[in-house]
Amino acid sequence: MCHFNYFKKKVMKIYQLIVLLFSFSILMSCNRQVLNKQPLDIISDANVWSDTALTDAYLTHMYYEMTFLANESTGNGWTGDAFCQEFEVNEVSDECFPQWRDWNPSVAFRYKYGNLNIGGGLLEYWGYSTIRSINEFIDRVPTTPFPANEIKAKIAEARFLRAFCYFAMVKRYGGVPIITKVQSLSDPQDELYPVRDKEAAVYDFIISEIDSVANDLPEVVSADNLGRPSKYAALALKSRAALYAGSIAEFGSVQLDGVVGIPADKANTYYQEAYDASNVIMTSGKYALYNNDANKVTNFRNLFLVKGNSEAIFVKQHDNVNEFTGGNGWSIDFFNCPRPQAWGRGLYDQAYLELAETFEHVDGTPGTLDRNAIQQGLWTTDSLWANKDPRFFATFYTQNTVWKGNKLDFHRGLRLADGTIQTDGSVNGLLANGDQDYEGTGIGVLKYLDETHDNMAGANSGWPTSSQDWQIFRYGEVLLNYAEAAFELGRSADALNAINQIRNRAGIAPLSAVTRDNIHHERRVELAFEGHRYWDVRRWRTAVTDLSQSWSGIRYILDVQTGKYQLQVVNNIDGASNVPQFRQENYYFPLTIARTSNNPKLVENPGYN
């Protein structure tokens, strides 16, 4: 059906593909005594740093290795955005689960149910190969023919990427070795086999790097260049990283003498850093909440479809050209679309009913369903989901959602006049079962989906053609970071103002006062399926509770006389044998035996043996 052993690495389009750039100097030195002429099929180390196009290509290649989108979830060994791994960080949270029963490559089924151990494999990222390449670039770019001002800007860009690499590791493992120069075999043993730096030291390094380079980056970049960092992208990284550090200091505990955990007395320092960085972005006037469409549902959907909109600070850019044929498309539409779909599937990720209930009503009242009441009598979908936060309808699709001009049909069974349920055949022309996946949760993921995409063109590896840009940093998150940091610093008025900006754009009632729970709730709703929830509950140290419970779905049974639905709540939707479990030690991933064996000075994280 599809060729999953074909993992194409897309690199630069300047000259030819550059393979293993950072090994060129070794290759050349090994052959120097044997060959007296320049090889024609290898780009030499000297060529790279004497040619501005090749130097740019070297830096461009680093973006391919960053933990953006699919690369956040490299535990299954896949790379690029063509397959399903970009969804895994959502699937191991309490947002959704992957629902292809006969074939499912997601690591969620291996690690969501308490199986993360010293062997690792979940959301892996040990970024030292990339860091070595970045360090090489920082060391060598001053020798290139670029003008001095361009050299300064390129070093700033590289240091931003390096800070991002360290943030990707510290949020997984806690303290890791901070390496800022190219290592060689002649270096002292303590440099070749470094110990882990303390977790606080890694966060301090990230923040100090941003402070050093932010003003050397362009203040703004053009809409077609949002995949490169600006000053405000750097500050957005600082905002996020400092907020994480503050949370870990406030809610976590220090172990291994600070290799994991951050002293509680540092919490406010980090919250202040997050607050200040967010405030600079907010007061710059360069960004605003996307609010171009009068219809609030349409507006929130378009936030993720309109390229270069007012909210986009830093994105992973895509086009509509198949990744397998040299383009930069990705797979969001093909996998998560409703049916019809070329493989007869779609609906890969399905949202839990609990997340759908988290979305409030427009008047600010809770959206939690009375599960006993809804399973009595008959309902229309309009009455079931009446007056919900418009973001609900922009985030999910379910029974009777209009898609490409037709209403989606998830119903499972027909309710006959005598109250019995018929689950096969038809009655009066009504099929017993709808055309959507009624065995899942009954709630698909609409966010980021493009209704114009052709989801029937993927039978022969033609599916990675979605062109939507993935928003790595957007203004809505910055407001939420600011609100959280402000609240933890005791600045409730600032927090309330920021939260109400989000709610006003969404089209729901403002809050009159704000609590920590309000802020956590708003992040869960606003940022659903954007890769934040799993990391948020880890840094808040609530994951042991939040991610260790069974979740639900909903079934619709069509009443043949009224056209309404008998509703059923389906508990333990992951399966009776799949009980989600997040253990205390999982607040940090294991370094793994492989890494500690390579460097015995790397002490393993607590709880893994």
Side-chain angles (χ1 to χ4, degrees), residues 332-400:
I332 180 71
D333 290 299
F334 186 76
F335 283 96
N336 273 358
C337 67
R339 295 169 181 165
Q341 185 248 27
W343 296 347
R345 294 175 179 272
L347 301 101
Y348 179 76
D349 274 350
Q350 299 193 33
Y352 294 122
L353 179 58
E354 286 78 3
L355 177 59
E357 292 177 296
T358 301
F359 287 68
E360 298 167 288
H361 298 113
V362 291
D363 63 0
T365 56
T368 308
L369 296 169
D370 183 332
R371 295 193 174 192
N372 181 60
I374 67 168
Q375 295 183 88
Q376 309 300 317
L378 300 175
W379 294 75
T380 65
T381 50
D382 286 343
S383 60
L384 178 63
W385 307 118
N387 301 314
K388 289 286 278 186
D389 179 342
R391 289 174 296 184
F392 172 91
F393 302 103
T395 302
F396 308 109
Y397 59 85
T398 186
Q399 182 69 25
N400 289 332

Side-chain angles (χ1 to χ4, degrees), residues 333-334 337 340 342 404 450-458 462-463 465:
D333 290 299
F334 186 76
C337 67
K404 298 194 177 188
D450 177 5
E451 281 192 74
T452 68
H453 188 266
D454 181 7
N455 298 310
M456 298 302 294
W463 62 86
T465 53

Side-chain angles (χ1 to χ4, degrees), residues 314-328:
F314 185 55
V315 307
K316 184 170 187 180
Q317 295 178 302
H318 295 100
D319 57 31
N320 61 359
V321 181
N322 189 339
E323 182 176 270
F324 296 138
T325 60
N328 194 31

Side-chain angles (χ1 to χ4, degrees), residues 147-214:
N149 63 321
E150 289 189 39
I151 289 172
K152 187 176 183 181
K154 291 180 187 302
I155 290 174
E157 185 176 353
R159 289 174 69 182
F160 166 85
L161 294 177
R162 185 173 64 184
F164 203 108
C165 289
Y166 277 108
F167 176 61
M169 288 196 288
V170 73
K171 73 179 183 181
R172 287 166 165 78
Y173 308 109
V176 294
I178 300 172
I179 300 173
T180 59
K181 73 181 191 69
V182 180
Q183 296 169 300
S184 80
L185 291 176
S186 61
D187 288 342
Q189 290 293 296
D190 61 346
E191 293 184 17
L192 292 175
Y193 298 96
V195 299
R196 296 174 66 182
D197 283 285
K198 293 184 177 183
E199 184 168 2
V202 181
Y203 277 107
D204 290 344
F205 172 75
I206 294 164
I207 292 167
S208 67
E209 283 290 280
I210 299 305
D211 287 343
S212 294
V213 307

